[in-house]
Structure formats: structure tokens, C-alpha cells
Amino acid sequence: MNVQGFHHVAIQARDVERVTAFYRDLLGFPELTRHSRPDGSLRSIWVGVPGGAFLAIEAAGGEPEQGPFRHERPGLLMLAFRIARAERDTVVSEFARQGVPLEHETRWTVYVRDPEGNRVALSHHPED
């Protein structure tokens, strides 16, 4: 096989518009396209991720699963995006300004949740 990297990652959201706003307006990912169902209702919104991939935010009808930030369940744990070390203080300040609480911090990574509880990391590993 000749796998060349991520094409896209899809997450499901009850409130597609609100989750899209987090990735588009706060993280700065450009909105690429919207997809509708045959009845005209919103099915998904795709936002671009730096490096050429995209995040597909797909409509789902259930309630978001709320659980501890760290858990023992198998499956997707978080979406982790790269930032420059020099941007870390700006990222932390912007989260605070927007009322997005930090879930956890390490030497290299800042962890938050999107509006429906998906774990999101912004990391400059291995840059100190």
C-alpha cells in the first residue's frame, strides 16, 4: 500500500452549525462545502485542515456523549492539530477570550473540547 496521509476525518454532531463555528471561527479552518439531504436539510459541513485534509462534520440526531477527558474506552480519543510553539500563548489567550476552558495542558500541548465534547489538542511537540 502507498498511504499518503489523512484525506479527511469525520465527526458526528447534533448541532453541525455550532461545531463548525468552533473549527471555522475559532481555529480558523476555512469552510469548504456544505452538503444537504434530499429534503434540503443540512447533512454535513466540511472545513479544511492545514496540510490538505479536511474535517467532515456530519449531522447526527443523538445526544453528545459526555465523559471524562481521559477514559479507558477504545476508539477515537481526540483530534490533535499542530501549532507553532510561538503561537501557544496566543492560542491559550484566545480560548480564554472565547470562554473555552482548558481541559488539560502539558509542556507541548493544550487540550480543550469542541461544543459537543469532542477532545481537541493543539500541540507544538517536540518544540520546547
Side-chain angles (χ1 to χ4, degrees):
M1 287 188 213
N2 183 16
V3 177
Q4 300 173 4
F6 278 104
H7 182 269
H8 74 279
V9 173
I11 60 173
Q12 295 185 130
R14 181 171 186 188
D15 188 338
V16 174
E17 293 283 2
R18 185 170 173 227
V19 173
T20 297
F22 176 88
Y23 293 97
R24 182 191 60 219
D25 302 341
L26 183 57
L27 298 188
F29 296 174
E31 186 173 317
L32 301 176
T33 188
R34 290 173 176 246
H35 298 275
S36 299
R37 294 183 183 99
D39 68 3
S41 63
L42 183 62
R43 182 180 59 84
S44 70
I45 300 175
W46 296 359
V47 294
V49 176
F54 67 91
L55 177 62
I57 303 162
E58 304 284 337
E63 288 294 321
E65 191 175 304
Q66 298 300 323
F69 194 76
R70 293 200 177 270
H71 59 76
E72 296 298 319
R73 292 184 313 275
L76 180 68
L77 179 62
M78 76 181 66
L79 301 170
F81 302 105
R82 183 181 318 276
I83 58 170
R85 171 62 186 103
E87 293 296 312
R88 183 187 179 120
D89 291 342
T90 301
V91 165
V92 170
S93 294
E94 187 61 17
F95 282 141
R97 192 175 80 72
Q98 295 291 329
V100 177
L102 298 182
E103 288 276 341
H104 185 66
E105 277 187 270
T106 68
R107 177 174 158 187
W108 298 286
T109 308
V110 175
Y111 301 89
V112 297
R113 290 184 189 250
D114 74 15
E116 292 201 2
N118 296 300
R119 297 159 188 86
V120 177
L122 292 129
S123 183
H124 51 81
H125 184 271
E127 284 183 74
D128 276 325

